Each structure stands twice: as C-alpha cells, then as structure tokens.
Amino acid sequence: MRDEKSAPLRPDAQRNRERILEVALAELTRAADAPLSTIAKKAGVGQGTFYRNFPNREALVLEVYRYEMQQVAETATQLLRTRTPDRALREWMDRLAQYAMAKAGLADALRKSTGKYGSLAQLGHGPVTMAVTELLNANEQAGTIRPGLTPEDFVLAIAGLWQIDPHSDWQPRAKRLLDLVMDGLRAGAPGSASGPEHA
C-alpha cells in the first residue's frame, strides 16, 4: 500500500484536484444529487482523472465539506487580528450561520452520501474545533466570557442553527439565537462585575 500523504501531488494534478473541488462545491450546493459525470465535465477532467482523485461520491462530498470547514475556521484567526475577542467571536458566529444557510445543498449531499450527517461537531471537527478553541481562549483571557467553556459546550449551544430552514427568512431567527448564545457565554464573565459590555 502506498502512503498517499508521503508524496505531494504534481502541480498539474493539484490543479485538477482543486478545479474538481471548486466545481463540486458549486454543483453540490445547487443540487445535492448533482451527477459526478457533470462535475468531471465542468471541471474539464476525464473520468479516469476524476476517479483517481475521488473514487466515489462520498469521498468527493466529504472532501468538499472538509475544505469548506477549513475556510470557515480560518476566518476566526483573521477576525481576532482586527477585532476585540468578544466582537470576533460574535462575528464568527454570524459567518457560521451564513455558511450553514448558504450551503444547505451541500449538507443535503453529505446526508445523502454518508447517512452520518448529524452536526458540525462530527464533520470538519479538527479545524472548527481549533477555531472555536482559539476564540474561546482569547475571550477567556480577556475576561469577556465565563471561564471553563469547552468547544463542545459551544457547539451544543449553537446546534439550533441547523434546525432553521434555509429557505425561510432565516436571518432574524439566527441573529436572535446567536445573541442569546452570546449573552449566555458572557454571563459570569470576570469583566461583567464592573458592568457587562453589550457590543
């Protein structure tokens, strides 16, 4: 068995892979059951190249979702560079909501492909958990949230996001939910003794 991680892809192979992921993201977001042959054709690669990269639908869908979760996770670091920790956390929650609603088709594709889709905690677990940990740690050090919260606490608190219908007027509902979660995170924060800061 060859170790796929030991050998980096040739530049042309890497470009093919990225093009497939880019097209797959657009197609699967639009329609959960987009045919793999259509994705390969629009990406400009042959069936052989396609299946060398992604042997089946599940492998493709999981990789697209993982890639997207990485993008969402990276925004946490960017926000912390330019915002106060509590503002960064709250804005990141909004970005997460936008992602969840915009990518409903991708989530459907994931459900259909794997039958295991349950929550954000199960998928993209690594990058998202690291992002949440980074945000919670920054806020705990700043005294803007109650101490001792875990990424699991946070994911459970925002789980209601995935109950909102993306085809409805979801923005006001998501904002109310996330404001409520943020208020809960702030309750008992060391800094709240001198007056809670309502951003």
Side-chain angles (χ1 to χ4, degrees):
M1 287 175 68
R2 70 192 179 94
D3 181 4
E4 291 187 11
K5 291 188 177 176
S6 62
L9 291 173
R10 295 187 329 265
D12 59 329
Q14 182 63 36
R15 277 194 301 276
N16 283 340
R17 186 177 175 82
E18 286 170 3
R19 202 159 52 244
I20 292 168
L21 286 173
E22 197 177 297
V23 171
L25 172 62
E27 292 300 308
L28 292 169
T29 296
R30 194 175 304 121
D33 52 1
L36 298 184
S37 56
T38 301
I39 293 170
K41 190 174 180 183
K42 287 192 175 183
V45 299
Q47 297 287 332
T49 299
F50 182 91
Y51 286 107
R52 252 196 316 279
N53 280 282
F54 305 103
N56 53 49
R57 175 177 286 274
E58 182 175 351
L60 174 66
V61 172
L62 285 172
E63 188 56 33
V64 169
Y65 200 88
R66 214 179 337 266
Y67 174 76
E68 282 294 284
M69 285 289 98
Q70 185 65 47
Q71 302 302 107
V72 170
E74 285 171 5
T75 62
T77 304
Q78 294 161 11
L79 287 168
L80 280 169
R81 284 194 199 112
T82 56
R83 314 279 196 280
T84 60
D86 56 339
R87 174 69 69 188
L89 177 59
R90 186 61 188 81
E91 283 191 33
W92 189 78
M93 288 159 70
D94 283 337
R95 304 262 181 112
L96 193 60
Q98 287 163 4
Y99 171 82
M101 298 304 121
K103 304 302 180 194
L106 182 56
D108 285 343
L110 199 58
R111 252 192 300 277
K112 288 179 181 179
S113 294
T114 68
K116 297 172 195 158
Y117 179 69
S119 74
L120 183 68
Q122 294 166 304
L123 299 148
H125 183 74
V128 171
T129 299
M130 287 192 311
V132 172
T133 301
E134 183 181 12
L135 287 161
L136 293 180
N137 286 344
N139 276 278
E140 190 169 331
Q141 287 168 13
T144 48
I145 62 170
R146 69 169 65 197
L149 293 167
T150 68
E152 290 76 19
D153 295 333
F154 177 82
V155 169
L156 283 171
I158 64 162
L161 267 183
W162 281 266
Q163 306 305 313
I164 298 174
D165 179 1
H167 305 296
S168 68
D169 182 22
W170 62 265
Q171 288 96 335
R173 294 189 69 195
K175 183 180 185 312
R176 276 198 309 276
L177 171 72
L178 296 177
D179 282 346
L180 187 63
V181 170
M182 195 69 203
D183 286 346
L185 296 175
R186 284 186 172 124
S192 66
S194 58
E197 181 187 332
H198 293 288

